[in-house]
Amino acid sequence: QVQLVESGGGLVQAGGSLRLSCAASGRTFSSRAMGWFRQAPGKEREFVGGINWSGGNTAYADSVKGRFTISRDNAKNTVYLQMNSLKPEDTAVYYCAARNFREIDRSYYSTAYAFWGQGTQVTVSS
């Protein structure tokens, strides 16, 4: 089993920045595509961004494109989500997820991911 532990969430004012981290267990991290999703209370979980095994290919939801950047450090078994120009509508619990696949094909579907972290709360005030 792959274990994912997220950190870096918190309270920030609109226009500010946060950097989320997701630490993964095991030596197979570098063979997996990774993703970030978010879910606000009472709403469905939505895709935020994905990154392939090497970090050379990424994908983003239109709502965050140009503001968020996903990256990874395979030597540290860690994936990151840098969030800039935050808006109140970005408020949600953010989840890290891992695939049993190297690439980001169909990465916008939550069912494409086999393992999930516990989530970290991001709150953006106006």
Side-chain angles (χ1 to χ4, degrees):
Q1 292 286 118
V2 174
Q3 293 182 323
L4 305 173
V5 180
E6 297 131 320
S7 62
L11 175 65
V12 65
Q13 291 186 333
S17 298
L18 283 174
R19 187 196 193 199
L20 306 184
S21 298
C22 174
S25 67
R27 293 182 178 270
T28 61
F29 174 77
S30 62
S31 70
R32 302 178 184 273
M34 303 290 293
W36 286 96
F37 288 75
R38 66 186 183 185
Q39 186 169 24
K43 297 185 177 181
E44 295 182 351
R45 187 170 299 184
E46 65 175 347
F47 172 75
V48 175
I51 187 167
N52 78 333
W53 68 279
S54 69
N57 196 10
T58 58
Y60 300 93
D62 288 342
S63 59
V64 306
K65 192 173 184 179
R67 300 187 298 119
F68 291 9
T69 302
I70 189 170
S71 61
R72 67 191 297 160
D73 186 340
N74 287 344
K76 296 182 178 180
N77 282 7
T78 302
V79 64
Y80 305 95
L81 184 68
Q82 178 67 47
M83 304 184 293
N84 298 325
S85 301
L86 283 162
K87 305 174 181 179
E89 51 262 45
D90 295 319
T91 295
V93 176
Y94 283 71
Y95 296 91
C96 176
R99 299 186 68 175
N100 286 329
F101 190 64
R102 289 179 179 267
E103 301 299 337
I104 56 173
D105 304 64
R106 300 172 296 279
S107 63
Y108 41 83
Y109 295 116
S110 62
T111 53
Y113 297 83
F115 306 99
W116 295 83
Q118 81 288 350
T120 185
Q121 177 71 46
V122 172
T123 303
V124 184
S125 62
S126 60

